[in-house]
Amino acid sequence: MNAASNHQSRFAALQGQKPDAIDTPALVLDAEAVNRNMQRMAEFAAKHQIKLRPHAKLHKSADIARLQMQAGAIGVCVQTVGEGEALAAGGVNDIFISNEIVSPAKLRRVAGLAQLLKNRSGKLAIAVDSDEGIDRLALAMQTTSAAIDVFIEIDVGQGRCGVAPGPAAVALVQRLQGSARLRYAGLHAYHGGAQHLRTVAERRNAIGQAALRVAATRDALAQANLAPAIITGGGTGTFGLEAASGLWNELQPGSFLFMDADYARNERDNAQPAFEQALFVKSQVISVQDGHAVCDAGCKSIALDSGPPLVHALPGQPALIYASGGDEHGILRPATAGGPLPAVGDTVWLIPSHCDPTVNLHDAMIAVQGGLAAGAVSAVVRVDARGA
């Protein structure tokens, strides 16, 4: 038996066992919280009569993507060709690559993915923001009999990808018209920079400015008889604002499903549902020294780009603060001076500050029903697109 088989056997043996049986460090889902988050978002979209296309770069799992579609999502977003291929291999048939792809090698894979999905009565979409992007995509699609939906990405305030709103976007749509296999689908208008603005007022102002850019572009396209059928965007921090604008008719939040410590730092917008933190890294205390303890979860098992994780204290456990200790170690100190420390062998549950890159560090997510303390393992969910 090879190492991969051993790995899978170890996960499979967890089914039905208590959380104590999960070796560390491990990525653990509170299954009930995940389901509640999924239902709340689906209900929000249905109530506001807006399409939901959640971002799968969060979980990178075909199983979870299919569950989201069963709950009402029309499809999913991905950010890379590899993510799209991995989810398609797992049976997902409606995928939007919400990013610019210009490498000829990657575009050949895009064309192959479009053909695969067409053969299964599915569809693929992609974002573009330049003449060169359109021309390269059109060339690659000549190798297939499939068509691909194309969203023109406009910069609505983040200053990342996206053509300038207005006439420049109109010119790109007009360029699409000459390519038989490129179908004009609408506008991609995502403001990533607004998602973690801390106050509701800041986020409202940012999306208000974005809405002006979207409206100007929509109107310019309409005047050219190219009105966009779909305007897609929105994230976990702002989707309620996009929905209320009357401009966006498709939402693509992702992190709401698991939530993370950084999103929890945002002032809550009462216009959006409340979501629960549902993703944890289980770790174990391996050393206790004067004034601190050490757990076995370092930056190889939990992403630190948005700051350190929060320590989730179960009833009876000490309140702790986490600091990076390197690749394999986390430093734990009392939340209050002189407070108690855990003992060697104790379990420590960590809430990642940024879910997406944390998930990408693991092969699987272990779902637990009935709570982290007394529940049982209900499923092991593969991270299909890890490293993609």
Side-chain angles (χ1 to χ4, degrees):
M1 185 179 287
N2 60 31
S5 297
N6 277 327
H7 199 54
Q8 291 187 358
S9 296
R10 177 169 61 84
F11 281 135
L14 288 171
Q15 197 84 18
Q17 295 199 53
K18 297 293 184 185
D20 287 349
I22 301 171
D23 204 358
T24 58
L27 201 58
V28 178
L29 296 176
D30 180 332
E32 285 100 343
V34 170
N35 285 331
R36 287 190 292 268
N37 288 343
M38 184 162 42
Q39 287 304 127
R40 286 167 187 160
M41 182 60 82
E43 289 166 4
F44 177 91
K47 177 182 177 181
H48 290 82
Q49 298 182 316
I50 194 165
K51 295 175 183 176
L52 177 62
R53 182 181 290 278
H55 220 304
K57 73 184 179 74
L58 165 77
H59 52 71
K60 294 174 169 277
S61 163
D63 286 345
I64 292 178
R66 291 197 308 272
L67 286 174
Q68 290 181 303
M69 293 175 72
Q70 289 169 15
I74 62 165
V76 296
C77 296
V78 298
Q79 204 71 352
T80 69
V81 183
E83 287 177 347
E85 291 168 331
L87 268 60
V92 180
N93 289 331
D94 192 330
I95 298 170
F96 171 34
I97 303 172
S98 56
N99 198 10
E100 279 64 33
I101 307 295
V102 296
S103 156
K106 288 190 180 73
L107 286 170
R108 286 193 292 271
R109 291 164 57 195
V110 167
L113 183 56
Q115 185 70 58
L116 171 69
L117 293 178
K118 177 197 173 187
N119 294 345
R120 300 196 320 219
S121 300
K123 64 177 181 176
L124 181 67
I126 196 167
V128 299
D129 69 355
S130 67
D131 290 344
E132 185 72 15
I134 291 171
D135 293 346
R136 291 185 178 207
L137 177 62
L139 182 63
M141 291 301 297
Q142 289 178 9
T143 64
T144 77
S145 65
I148 189 169
D149 286 352
V150 178
F151 286 89
I152 299 301
E153 181 168 8
I154 61 173
D155 180 4
V156 292
Q158 184 169 10
R160 192 167 65 182
C161 294
V163 68
V170 175
L172 285 184
V173 175
Q174 290 170 334
R175 195 178 187 95
L176 282 177
Q177 306 307 303
S179 213
R181 292 195 175 91
L182 306 189
R183 295 183 301 224
Y184 166 47
L187 296 177
H188 177 44
Y190 172 66
H191 194 336
Q195 303 310 310
H196 294 275
L197 295 174
R198 293 306 180 207
T199 69
V200 174
E202 288 175 303
R203 297 196 297 276
R204 185 178 294 119
N205 179 65
I207 299 306
Q209 294 300 310
L212 294 175
R213 296 178 173 98
V214 170
T217 306
R218 178 203 58 185
D219 293 347
L221 286 165
Q223 290 172 8
N225 294 317
L226 295 168
I230 299 172
I231 300 177
T232 183
T236 294
T238 67
F239 68 87
L241 298 167
E242 280 94 351
S245 72
L247 293 167
W248 283 264
N249 55 8
E250 183 177 283
L251 301 175
Q252 29 173 279
S255 295
F256 73 91
L257 192 65
F258 294 165
M259 290 301 285
D260 53 38
D262 199 58
Y263 264 118
R265 296 181 185 110
N266 280 3
E267 178 189 3
R268 179 156 179 263
D269 185 346
N270 290 327
Q272 298 189 173
F275 299 109
E276 304 169 51
Q277 290 169 326
L279 182 77
F280 303 86
V281 172
K282 183 189 177 190
S283 65
Q284 185 179 47
V285 176
I286 58 173
S287 177
V288 177
Q289 303 302 325
D290 186 24
H292 74 273
V294 181
C295 68
D296 61 356
C299 63
K300 284 184 179 177
S301 55
I302 194 161
L304 302 175
D305 59 300
S306 293
L310 297 179
V311 180
H312 179 65
L314 296 177
Q317 292 184 334
L320 302 169
I321 295 173
Y322 178 103
S324 174
D327 291 354
E328 315 289 353
H329 303 92
I331 308 300
L332 304 170
R333 293 187 173 88
T336 57
L341 288 169
V344 170
D346 281 359
T347 293
V348 176
W349 296 94
L350 305 174
I351 300 172
S353 279
H354 193 179
C355 290
D356 306 24
T358 296
V359 171
N360 195 49
L361 295 169
H362 296 262
D363 292 321
M365 297 171 278
I366 302 167
V368 170
Q369 286 189 323
L372 300 179
V377 174
S378 59
V380 176
V381 183
R382 285 182 51 193
V383 182
D384 299 295
R386 179 182 182 183

